[in-house]
Amino acid sequence: MKLATTTGDFGGYTNSQIEALRYVRQAGFLYADYSFGMDYKHRNGVYSKDYPAYFEAVSAAAQEIGIKLIQAHSPLGTPLIDPDGSFLADTIRCVDACGAWGIPNLVVHSGYANGLSVEQTFAANKAFYAPILQRAEKYGVNILVENFNKMHVEGLYWIDNATDLRELIDYIDHPLLHAVWDAGHANLQEMPQDEELRLLGDHV
């Protein structure tokens, strides 16, 4: 097992992911999860105009710092409400970054929208994930769906447990689509986590 933490935890201290990686290493971690949410918020990093040069800068910095990127989180957003396709394009940029940095696993949250049935939500998510998975095939990057926190909104279907995750993964049916399990979210849901993890099996 590789013990890691996310660069996103240092967003209150810096807008620079490279500086955040230095903080992660100074805290004693040899491995890190790259949070694209920081870049998304500030429209820098992987979303800068010269992003290929940024890819190289992060690779060089990680080697110099002595830290390895083993997972990443794409930005949170509203993928099912994306009329101009900009959020999808931003998510695909994350896949390219993972390919450049040799990150094997990228968390991409599923989407939701008011008024959609379960069937419509699954179909819309399949359409969202399709081009992401197509790009992931280029690099062999696994795309991971995460269990959400507990939320109750009338008319909103929210994928928040192992059963939902398993059904979505089976529905989309792609060899690079798997699950990541957020134990903190599951604690807030008061779920029997051993049972949930057994249900997901080797998809985790």
Side-chain angles (χ1 to χ4, degrees), residues 117-129:
S117 66
V118 174
E119 293 77 13
Q120 290 170 326
T121 301
F122 272 46
N125 273 290
K126 185 172 186 175
F128 167 63
Y129 279 106

Side-chain angles (χ1 to χ4, degrees), residues 74 79 87-96 106-109 125-139 141-144 174 176-177:
S74 65
F87 185 76
L88 174 61
D90 283 343
T91 305
I92 290 174
R93 178 71 57 79
C94 299
V95 180
D96 290 334
L106 173 65
V107 180
V108 178
H109 284 269
N125 273 290
K126 185 172 186 175
F128 167 63
Y129 279 106
I132 297 168
L133 288 163
Q134 184 177 24
R135 185 63 64 90
E137 290 171 1
K138 180 179 178 181
Y139 310 106
V141 173
N142 293 306
I143 303 301
L144 310 182
H174 191 283
L176 290 176
L177 184 66

Side-chain angles (χ1 to χ4, degrees), residues 136-166:
E137 290 171 1
K138 180 179 178 181
Y139 310 106
V141 173
N142 293 306
I143 303 301
L144 310 182
V145 187
E146 182 177 331
N147 55 309
F148 281 128
N149 194 3
K150 191 173 186 177
M151 185 174 77
H152 297 289
V153 177
E154 190 67 29
L156 183 69
Y157 175 65
W158 177 260
I159 295 173
D160 63 1
N161 57 64
T163 300
D164 291 342
L165 287 179
R166 184 74 195 227

Side-chain angles (χ1 to χ4, degrees), residues 4-168:
T5 194
T6 174
T7 58
D9 287 343
F10 297 90
Y13 301 95
T14 179
N15 295 340
S16 165
Q17 292 272 30
I18 291 176
E19 189 173 0
L21 285 172
R22 295 188 188 280
Y23 289 144
V24 171
R25 185 66 188 91
Q26 288 167 15
F29 291 92
L30 297 175
Y31 305 99
D33 173 300
Y34 189 102
S35 173
F36 291 105
M38 284 178 63
D39 299 33
Y40 186 74
K41 178 181 179 181
H42 302 290
R43 300 309 297 178
N44 64 6
V46 301
Y47 302 119
S48 58
K49 289 183 178 179
D50 192 8
Y51 65 88
Y54 179 75
F55 288 175
E56 293 179 6
V58 169
S59 294
Q63 185 173 9
E64 181 262 319
I65 294 165
I67 198 163
K68 185 172 178 60
L69 297 168
I70 59 170
Q71 184 174 285
H73 264 69
S74 65
L76 283 171
T78 54
L80 304 191
I81 309 171
D82 184 28
D84 64 354
S86 59
F87 185 76
L88 174 61
D90 283 343
T91 305
I92 290 174
R93 178 71 57 79
C94 299
V95 180
D96 290 334
C98 288
W101 299 332
I103 298 176
N105 300 306
L106 173 65
V107 180
V108 178
H109 284 269
S110 59
Y112 53 90
N114 281 311
L116 295 185
S117 66
V118 174
E119 293 77 13
Q120 290 170 326
T121 301
F122 272 46
N125 273 290
K126 185 172 186 175
F128 167 63
Y129 279 106
I132 297 168
L133 288 163
Q134 184 177 24
R135 185 63 64 90
E137 290 171 1
K138 180 179 178 181
Y139 310 106
V141 173
N142 293 306
I143 303 301
L144 310 182
V145 187
E146 182 177 331
N147 55 309
F148 281 128
N149 194 3
K150 191 173 186 177
M151 185 174 77
H152 297 289
V153 177
E154 190 67 29
L156 183 69
Y157 175 65
W158 177 260
I159 295 173
D160 63 1
N161 57 64
T163 300
D164 291 342
L165 287 179
R166 184 74 195 227
E167 288 182 2
L168 181 64

